[in-house]
Structures are given as C-alpha cells and as structure tokens.
Amino acid sequence: MMLRTLLLTSVIYWASGQESQTMTPEEKIGIRDQIVEMFDHAYGSYMKYAYPADELMPLSCRGRVRGLEPNRGDIDDSLGKFSLTLIDTLDTLVVLNKLDDFEDGVKKTVKDVRFDNDVVVSVFETNIRVLGGLLGAHVMANLLRQRGERMQWYGDELLHMAKELGHRLLPAFNTTSGLPYPRVNLRYGVINPLSRTGTESDTCTACAGTMILEFAALSRLSGETVFEEYARKALDVLWEKRQRGSDLVGTVINIHNGDWVRRDSGVGAGIDSYYEYLMKAYILLGDSVYLDRFNIHYSAIMKYISQPPLLLNVHMHNPTVSVRSWMDSLLAFFPGLQVLRGDLKPAIETHEMLYQVTKQHKFLPEAFTTEFRVHWGQHPLRPEFAESTYYLYKATGDPYYLRVGQSIVEKLNAYARVPCGFAAVQDVRTGTHEDRMDSFFLAEMFKYLYLLFSEKSQLPLDIDDYIFTTEAHLLPVSLSTTQPPCQGNGTDAAPLNQEEDLFTYSCPSTQTLFPNNPSFAKTIRDGYKYLTGVGRAFHSLPVREIELPLHDSGMEPVEFLKSMGITLTPLTEAIAGETRSEMEHKGVYRVKLIAKVTHTPEEEEVVPHIVQVISPPYLGRTVLTAGPAKFGMDLTKHEHGVKGSIVKASPYTACGPLDNADEVKGHIALALRGDCMFAGKARRLQEAGAIGVVFIDHREGSNIEDTPLFQMVGDGDSTADITLPLVFLFSREGGVLTTALEEHRNVDVLLLPKERQLGHDKPEKPLGMNIKFRLAEEGELEDGASRGPTLEFVLEKGEMLPEEEEEEEEEELRGAGQSQERRRKALGTEPCSAGRDPPSVLPRDTDGGPEADPLTD
Ligand code: DMJ
C-alpha cells in the first residue's frame, strides 16, 4: 500500500514538472533564509559546544579533541588541535554576509590558535582546510579592511599564521622524488625521532597534487617563493609519471621512487583534486602549462573513464577495461570541473545521474553501483553534489538546478539535522547518524548552497573575482597578474598583458558555454530521467526468454539445472501428462523466464562468517558475526574452519613494521581497520607468520545490527599472494574479543562460515532464491497469450509473505512496469516470496556494504 502511495506521489511529482518550474525571487529568498538558519544552527552549535576543539560531535553535543576520543584512524589526521572548523568556516561567514561573526572569528583565530602542536596531521587535509582557510580569510579580511568599514585593526595576522603553517608542512617535501610524505608532525616535522611519522612510503595522487593553489597563493601573497616551487615540483613528478600510453595516473604513488602503488584510475577518491588543481592552477596563475596537462588528462578521462552518465575506474595500463562496478561519491565534483572546462553535455548527464541517486537514497552514498544501489551507505555530509549543482546553474541559468539545490536543503533538514548541529549519516539505508560533523560541511556545503540561491548583487563581494579551492576557499584570480616567483622546469609562465581581459580564458562564461537555448540542458537531462527507476512511468516489463539446451547427454532442462545445483520443484502435478510432451522440442527445451535472476555481480551474496570463542570460560557460546574477505583463504572451502589463539598486532593498525612479530607468529592476529589497506595489513601479518587475521572496525559504536555486513576487498592489484583467512568485525563485536583478551591470558577462536557454527546443524538463514520459471507451451512464445504450468525452484524453505502482497507481486511480474524499488523487491533483493507452495524466501543482506575506503580500508 505504502509502495503504491510512493509510486503515485512520484508520478504526480514528475507529471507536474515541478523541477522545471522557474523560481520566483521571493521563493529564492525564502530558501536562502532557510540556508542561513541552517548555517546558524550548525556554526552556532560548533561555537557553543565544541570551540576551540577541531570538530563538533553533534550527537554528544561536545567537541572532538584528538586523543580524548577513541581513535578513528586516518579520518583523525585532519585534527591538529588548531580549531579546524573555525578556520575552515571563516570565509563562508563573509560569503553569507555575517561580517560581525567573521570579525569575531578572525580575532579568536589570531588569539587562540597555535600550530606548535605535537600532533601528526595529514599534509593534504591541513593544506586544503587550514592553510586554504587562513588564506581565504586573509583575502576577505583585506577586502573588508580596504573598504574602510571594518577590520581596521587587521594587520595581516592570518597571512603570518599561514606562513608559519606553510613552514610546518614543508618538511613533508623532504623526499628524493619531491612528492610529499602524507603526514607531518606539526612540531617535529618528519624525520625527527620524536615525529612519530616518516615511515610511510606512499601517498595518494590527490594528496601530492593538491597543493599548488594554496602554496602558490601563499608564495605570491608573502613573497616567499619556496612554497610554490615545492608544490609545482610535486605536480611535475606526477605529470612525468603518468602512463604515457593512456595519459592516466594511478591512485597511489610511492613517494621515494615514484612507482605507482595502485594503478586503478578514475576521477573520484584518490585522484579527484589533482585534476581539479591543474585546471584551477591555470585559472589562478595563468600558466598555460597546467592547462595543457589538464587537457591531455581530460581527453584520456573522456576516452576511457567517462561512460556517460557513468564515470568508472579503469586500470591505467589497460584502460579499456573497467576495474570497478561502483562509483564513489567524491566524483560528484567532476561535473563542476567539466563546467569550468566548458564541456557541458557530459556534466549535465553525470549530474543528472547523481541527482537520480540522491532521489533514490536521499543522499549520495559513499559508493554506489552502476545499477545505483548502495555499495557503501555512509554519507558524511559531503558537498560535492551541491558544488556541481552550483556550477551547472551558473553555466545554464536553468531553474531546474535551483530545484535540485532545494532538494538538498530539504533533505539535510529532514534527515541530518539534530539538536546540536547536523550529523553525518552512517548508512543511507537505515538513516542512522554518526557523531560527526566534518568541517567541510561549513566550509563548502553552505557556501555553494547560499551562492546558488543568491543574485550576484546580493553578495558582499564579486564572486567572479575568485576561484574556489577544493575546500571552497576563495582565492583572487588577480594573483595571476602577480609575477610567479620563479620560472621552472617546464612551467613556462605566459605573463598576462594587463590590458588583456583576465577572464578571456577562464570559465564559466554563460555566453560561450550556454548557447542561448533555454531547453539545452533539459534535452540532455531527459534521456537520464528515470535511470534509477524513481519516478518512472509504468511501462511493461519485457519478458525474457531463455533456451535451455538439451545436452548431448540427453539431460532435460530440469536435470540440466540440477547439475548446476538448482533444484526445480513443480508447483502442481499438472505439468506431467499431455502438455509436457508438447513442450519438448527436439534438442531444445524452451522456458520463458518470468522473473530474472537477481544476483548481479555487484550484489554478490555476503556469506556471513563468525568468530567463535571456544576457550574457557566461553566454550563456544560467544559467537560474533563477521564479514568475509574477497581475498585470502576461502573459509567456505575449509570444512573445520581455522582455529588459533588471538594476539593483538602492534601497532594495532598493522600499517607499519610489527613490533611483536614473534608473538603474532602462529596465532590469529587482531588488527584495527584504518590508516592503510586491508591487503597491506594482511601481507604484513602473513609475513610475520600469523595464521589468520580478525580486523576490527575503527568506527566507534559500529555493530552488526545497524550496519550491513560487507566483504573486504583487496587493494586493486593482485592479492593472490595472500593466503590467510581474513574476517571483519564491527567495533562492538570486536570489543568483545579485546575485552576477552584483557581478562584472560589465552583466548582461542575459530574462524568459519556462520552456517558451520559449532553446535548448530542447520544454517540459521538458509540461502534461497525466489526465481520462478514458467514453462511456455508450444506456440505460446509467439503470441504470449495463454499461461502454461509454473515451476518454482527453491533452494531452501523460508517465510511467506501475506497473501495479498504475494498476489500483488505476481501481478506486477506478469506484465506491468514497476518502480525500481518494486522491481528490486520482485526480483528478490529484498525478502519476498513469489511462490505459493512451498514458500520461498530470499534472506539475504542488502546491497553490499561499507567495503573499503578507496584510499585506506
Ligand atoms: C573536501 O575536504 C574537499 O573537497 C576534498 O577535495 C575532497 N572532499 C572533501 C569533502 O567531501
């Protein structure tokens, strides 16, 4: 019933064409006011409950102070005890015309923030969020000071702070290649023994290639050339190391020798802002070398990665083959970059696809499949989709994009707002929240949304005078006329003639991009309207026919399926007799497939595993459900599983050399998720002689009830060398093991598939498939009129849906078109029964789960 209502609502919504309706100035102002109110709620909560901490914990209504909260792995590398959220928000305050708050925020920054902290931080995050934040705020402060109304006290304090921070980041560049270390200790640098860093050997491409805007701006504003030189050198290395055949780059690179560590290539996680910074470096600095490089990469991206509307990762050496069937949410920035490039058509197509995904799942999940199902359900309030929406509206003026923006605003309020701010969504499928509000939510999301609904004349600055960094900090394009500090290594600067229009070569220009055709964007979008099935009008579902061959062996189709492990159970005995003989052809047995097999590769069944604690006092009674891995030993093929006593790896993340390799040898190691890839950890532990690994989630409070089980994946390269059994526990279940280890000297566990759990004869949740075949009668295939006998094959028995729903299900399968949600249910991605006798069930997990962070696990 509810489903019908939903369907009806979407049909009405689409029929009314609301999304194309223009928006009155009053309506725009109303939405803008709503955005300001939301910003006040978010920023006000940070200042009230969290400041001077780096971030707000919106569920606990307090600040996140590194070291005082449980370690979340590499996400925490953004936190440097430097009031991150305040600094990241400063120039947003100006854009939103909150000039008193800005002045107050700058005063607090100058008074309270110090960088001499013994903290290891991410070079990339500190650069884009803190250095970029300081520079954007400095530029804004100067602008206001020059107007003579406020900030008269300001004497470049933020620029001095930026310079100090820049110097604290520089030790990261002390490598032979010129590619920076991924982390630096703010007080001790990298090589100092007190630094607790400097052992890393690789970094992501975006991490090395996203420095030039901030570093060049710092050099040009401060007169210290060193920053721009280092950032440019890192870009030169990445350019040199591109794959010459494909002109693509990989995701992770060795910082010492420049070899590619991960060779998958896309436009999302791991690479994204490298491309962005080539384009924007040209716009900001006027150096055409950056544009030339960007254009070469862009052609490669459009040739190999772009499959409109999709953007799929490929192998940089073998780029005609996609290496993934899912996309990550970070790539949502790409349509915005395409607008800057002046390539509107694919930008509109991909953006429309992303919009359809947000309609289906409320927000963009961190990763979603090519069929737009959730692959990893987390949504940390990322701004990339709002960013692209803003750029597309700028370029097209199409009110459709205002409606898209409106939907973002409404969903944030409806599903992410909590009493102390806005909380990240742990899983878009369940709507559960995480105690986290990242600083980019204030730095970027509100900036882009506010700008989307503002007329140029309503803003306190001319927004077209600035370029947005990847964190949406504002840098003035006038920097391009500031002579670069040096000419080096291929970056022949072409100094701009002052007379020349600064914007001749910079985009977007609505004149050139949008060919005066108001329906231009719409015509492109229309082809992608119903991609995910949401809002799709009713069309009849094509009935697929399959032919099952009668083999030389003379096997009949039923036997043939049986030989594949599928048993067919006739629903009625009517199959036998006269009709049956009529159905048999010579050599071929034709079967009409009414419901197609639901198991697509990206929806692979996650076979639940367990960690069963068998030593006293547990004696097998403690059973923790675990996720398997797509690599390492396949436990389903080992009848008795793998048994051993557990030892905690040191370091716990197993990302660096092991201090306790001797203890690990011959035991099952416990290792914390995060900081590096599962495969890297597994290799290290395998080398130390471990006989298995139990990975434990680093996300505080995660548990099997709230989060769908998922399979760990490798690192994109071959994992054939890893032969250990590997399982994954969410943190609550993992806590049981670590507590057991604290309380008892020896803890023995058994790793095995859940269905083999000791003391249980039968699988708890049997595998089932609700696939139904109907045998077509002779002649029926042509006219499709009459209905023949039905066969249902069932692997296991299970629940039955109430009869009414069951009939509805059949009704829809028989011909009418259906929404994606309905179809998913019908095709068995949700528990349902399509049979009568015996009942069938599909007790499977939902679509995948939080596989691996594309950069670390
Ligand atoms: C931001 O910190 C930056 O945009 C970065 O380049 C990648 N994305 C995050 C927000 O999602």
Side-chain angles (χ1 to χ4, degrees):
M1 187 60 202
M2 206 173 98
L3 193 66
R4 276 194 187 141
T5 319
L6 272 177
L7 278 173
L8 203 64
T9 321
S10 1
V11 171
I12 291 168
Y13 187 70
W14 284 101
S16 66
Q18 270 194 40
E19 284 164 323
S20 311
Q21 274 172 20
T22 51
M23 202 176 264
T24 61
E26 295 70 39
E27 205 181 343
K28 266 176 102 170
I29 291 171
I31 297 173
R32 216 184 52 198
D33 290 347
Q34 197 181 355
I35 293 166
V36 174
E37 187 281 326
M38 290 162 69
F39 172 84
D40 288 342
H41 178 62
Y43 180 64
S45 297
Y46 165 73
M47 291 308 282
K48 181 168 174 193
Y49 301 111
Y51 182 79
D54 282 316
E55 276 180 357
L56 169 70
M57 295 169 73
L59 301 182
S60 341
C61 303
R62 63 168 198 269
R64 181 181 297 282
V65 179
R66 197 158 166 195
L68 298 187
E69 301 296 332
N71 180 11
R72 297 177 303 168
D74 52 345
I75 323 170
D76 283 345
D77 291 343
S78 304
L79 313 177
K81 300 191 174 174
F82 36 34
S83 303
L84 170 69
T85 302
L86 173 65
I87 295 179
D88 219 5
T89 310
L90 287 174
D91 58 5
T92 306
L93 290 166
V94 177
V95 172
L96 269 62
N97 222 339
K98 296 189 159 289
L99 303 184
D100 289 340
D101 290 321
F102 174 72
E103 187 150 5
D104 183 50
V106 174
K107 282 183 182 159
K108 284 198 165 68
T109 305
V110 172
K111 184 165 89 42
D112 300 343
V113 176
R114 295 291 171 270
F115 294 124
D116 183 30
N117 305 328
D118 179 12
V119 184
V120 175
V121 292
S122 152
V123 173
F124 165 80
E125 298 291 357
T126 309
N127 174 57
I128 65 167
R129 302 195 199 198
V130 187
L131 187 57
L134 290 170
L135 291 170
H138 164 70
V139 169
M140 293 298 108
N142 259 343
L143 180 81
L144 297 177
R145 181 176 58 181
Q146 278 155 22
R147 286 187 189 160
E149 289 157 23
R150 51 174 79 234
M151 302 295 295
Q152 295 306 302
W153 57 270
Y154 182 68
D156 291 346
E157 287 86 346
L158 295 176
L159 179 60
H160 298 311
M161 291 177 77
K163 218 161 41 168
E164 183 200 333
L165 182 61
H167 280 289
R168 291 183 186 278
L169 294 181
L170 280 184
F173 289 82
N174 190 7
T175 58
T176 39
S177 68
L179 295 167
Y181 277 97
R183 296 182 188 86
V184 72
N185 183 306
L186 285 175
R187 182 180 296 167
Y188 297 113
V190 171
I191 48 169
N192 187 313
L194 297 173
S195 73
R196 302 190 307 283
T197 190
T199 52
E200 303 93 337
S201 56
D202 33 65
T203 196
C204 74
T205 304
C207 304
T210 311
M211 310 295 290
I212 189 70
L213 295 189
E214 293 81 1
F215 271 39
L218 181 56
S219 281
R220 294 180 186 216
L221 290 167
S222 70
E224 283 196 40
T225 60
V226 61
F227 305 107
E228 186 167 346
E229 283 164 14
Y230 276 124
R232 200 189 52 236
K233 172 76 172 82
L235 280 180
D236 289 344
V237 178
L238 292 174
W239 174 248
E240 278 300 304
K241 295 289 175 186
R242 77 190 181 284
Q243 213 287 321
R244 301 296 173 115
S246 64
D247 285 321
L248 293 172
V249 289
T251 317
V252 177
I253 191 164
N254 183 301
I255 51 174
H256 303 299
N257 58 23
D259 288 346
W260 290 105
V261 177
R262 287 187 58 190
R263 298 177 181 83
D264 49 321
S265 184
V267 297
I271 305 184
D272 49 3
S273 43
Y274 161 62
Y275 293 136
E276 178 184 359
Y277 270 36
L278 285 179
M279 179 72 200
K280 290 183 176 175
Y282 164 67
I283 298 172
L284 184 72
L285 308 173
D287 186 337
S288 60
V289 168
Y290 297 123
L291 181 63
D292 295 342
R293 291 180 187 175
F294 174 80
N295 281 336
I296 290 171
H297 283 313
Y298 188 75
S299 302
I301 292 166
M302 296 315 285
K303 188 167 168 191
Y304 302 117
I305 293 167
S306 168
Q307 299 178 34
L310 313 180
L311 291 159
L312 288 174
N313 278 26
V314 296
H315 195 288
M316 62 189 281
H317 294 285
N318 183 14
T320 50
V321 182
S322 299
V323 292
R324 274 188 195 169
S325 55
W326 49 273
M327 290 164 276
D328 60 70
S329 68
L330 288 170
L331 61 73
F333 88 103
F334 198 68
L337 185 60
Q338 290 181 305
V339 170
L340 281 186
R341 168 66 171 66
D343 204 1
L344 269 189
K345 186 171 180 287
I348 291 167
E349 291 167 331
T350 298
H351 179 274
E352 183 57 29
M353 176 271 288
L354 296 168
Y355 183 39
Q356 300 294 325
V357 177
T358 67
K359 281 182 163 183
Q360 189 167 345
H361 302 295
K362 299 189 181 74
F363 299 104
L364 274 189
E366 279 294 70
F368 49 93
T369 70
T370 47
E371 295 196 330
F372 315 112
R373 295 194 174 102
V374 174
H375 186 68
W376 178 9
Q378 194 186 27
H379 174 73
L381 309 179
R382 288 200 190 279
E384 283 78 3
F385 179 60
E387 173 184 354
S388 282
T389 306
Y390 165 71
Y391 277 104
L392 273 164
Y393 182 61
K394 270 287 258 190
T396 64
D398 188 334
Y400 179 85
Y401 296 108
L402 294 177
R403 295 293 171 195
V404 176
Q406 183 181 11
S407 81
I408 300 174
V409 170
E410 283 165 5
K411 283 171 183 159
L412 284 172
N413 257 333
Y415 305 111
R417 191 173 180 132
V418 292
C420 295
F422 288 81
V425 178
Q426 190 174 45
D427 194 313
V428 295
R429 289 164 289 195
T430 57
T432 43
H433 287 142
E434 260 188 283
D435 204 0
R436 131 177 208 204
M437 184 178 91
D438 289 69
S439 66
F440 51 67
F441 184 56
L442 290 165
E444 297 191 63
M445 182 71 92
F446 286 105
K447 220 177 256 153
Y448 288 122
L449 287 177
Y450 185 86
L451 287 170
L452 178 64
F453 290 95
S454 302
E455 304 303 329
K456 249 171 95 84
S457 57
Q458 294 165 334
L459 296 171
L461 72 175
D462 184 347
I463 200 68
D464 293 333
D465 286 348
Y466 301 87
I467 184 106
F468 295 103
T469 68
T470 193
E471 189 77 358
H473 293 305
L474 298 169
L475 297 177
V477 286
S478 59
L479 283 178
S480 63
T481 56
T482 313
Q483 201 59 24
C486 55
Q487 309 277 328
N489 209 6
T491 51
D492 321 345
L496 276 183
N497 180 346
Q498 282 291 1
E499 307 291 305
E500 204 174 347
D501 179 359
L502 277 176
F503 301 102
T504 305
Y505 299 107
S506 58
C507 300
S509 152
T510 47
Q511 300 310 309
T512 51
L513 293 183
F514 188 52
N516 248 350
N517 171 4
S519 58
F520 171 65
K522 183 174 183 302
T523 17
I524 296 168
R525 279 193 312 262
D526 279 351
Y528 298 94
K529 270 262 116 65
Y530 305 117
L531 266 182
T532 62
V534 175
R536 189 196 298 271
F538 286 95
H539 294 300
S540 63
L541 182 71
V543 176
R544 296 256 306 273
E545 292 171 10
I546 57 167
E547 290 187 347
L548 295 177
L550 279 180
H551 279 230
D552 296 345
S553 61
M555 268 199 282
E556 290 186 1
V558 173
E559 293 305 312
F560 174 69
L561 288 170
K562 217 177 199 170
S563 73
M564 300 193 309
I566 299 170
T567 314
L568 292 179
T569 311
L571 284 179
T572 74
E573 290 309 312
I575 289 168
E578 44 184 22
T579 41
R580 183 180 180 127
S581 60
E582 282 170 25
M583 286 185 289
E584 289 168 6
H585 296 251
K586 211 163 138 212
V588 170
Y589 206 97
R590 301 185 82 184
V591 175
K592 186 174 277 186
L593 181 63
I594 297 177
K596 71 174 175 178
V597 180
T598 59
H599 294 242
T600 54
E602 59 276 2
E603 276 198 303
E604 257 176 281
E605 193 81 49
V606 178
V607 179
H609 282 51
I610 53 164
V611 177
Q612 188 163 17
V613 190
I614 50 177
S615 52
Y618 305 95
L619 301 171
R621 288 186 300 264
T622 299
V623 179
L624 308 165
T625 303
K630 282 187 180 168
F631 59 105
M633 180 192 290
D634 182 354
L635 282 165
T636 61
K637 299 202 172 112
H638 290 256
E639 206 182 337
H640 304 294
V642 169
K643 188 176 126 188
S645 57
I646 52 175
V647 169
K648 209 166 162 179
S650 171
Y652 193 17
T653 55
C655 288
L658 294 175
D659 308 329
N660 63 342
D662 287 353
E663 290 170 43
V664 162
K665 191 169 178 191
H667 295 95
I668 294 178
L670 294 190
L672 190 68
R673 181 187 191 182
D675 283 1
C676 62
M677 307 294 296
F678 285 126
K681 295 169 194 266
R683 280 196 187 97
R684 200 160 289 118
L685 291 163
Q686 180 168 292
E687 264 164 39
I691 57 164
V693 184
V694 178
F695 293 107
I696 297 182
D697 199 2
H698 58 348
R699 292 170 311 142
E700 194 196 336
S702 68
N703 62 80
I704 189 70
E705 268 133 51
D706 297 339
T707 320
L709 211 55
F710 68 95
Q711 306 194 61
M712 295 175 281
V713 289
D715 53 9
D717 288 331
S718 168
T719 41
D721 57 314
I722 302 174
T723 51
L724 285 177
L726 310 164
V727 296
F728 177 86
L729 290 177
F730 289 113
S731 72
R732 198 173 69 191
E733 287 74 33
V736 175
L737 275 194
T738 47
T739 309
L741 207 51
E742 278 157 23
E743 289 171 4
H744 307 280
R745 259 191 36 235
N746 186 58
V747 180
D748 292 339
V749 297
L750 193 55
L751 312 182
L752 71 172
K754 192 166 191 162
E755 60 178 23
R756 304 241 180 86
Q757 180 181 331
L758 286 189
H760 279 249
D761 294 338
K762 286 234 164 97
E764 231 173 53
K765 282 189 167 186
L767 281 178
M769 301 173 88
N770 64 342
I771 302 167
K772 223 169 42 165
F773 288 97
R774 181 160 64 83
L775 295 182
E777 291 180 33
E778 192 73 34
E780 188 200 355
L781 293 169
E782 280 69 42
D783 58 35
S786 62
R787 190 166 179 225
T790 304
L791 283 182
E792 182 187 47
F793 66 88
V794 178
L795 295 185
E796 276 295 339
K797 73 180 184 123
E799 306 153 2
M800 192 159 45
L801 282 183
E803 214 157 272
E804 192 191 321
E805 214 172 326
E806 185 186 322
E807 272 162 18
E808 250 179 60
E809 199 69 61
E810 282 213 3
E811 195 49 51
E812 295 221 355
L813 286 176
R814 239 175 266 136
Q818 42 209 310
S819 77
Q820 181 71 8
E821 193 178 342
R822 188 69 175 157
R823 207 170 64 195
R824 273 202 312 156
K825 209 169 177 189
L827 298 182
T829 51
E830 286 169 14
C832 71
S833 167
R836 288 200 181 95
D837 183 23
S840 72
V841 69
L842 190 74
R844 66 181 299 278
D845 252 303
T846 45
D847 337 68
E851 247 180 28
D853 177 322
L855 295 184
T856 70
D857 294 310

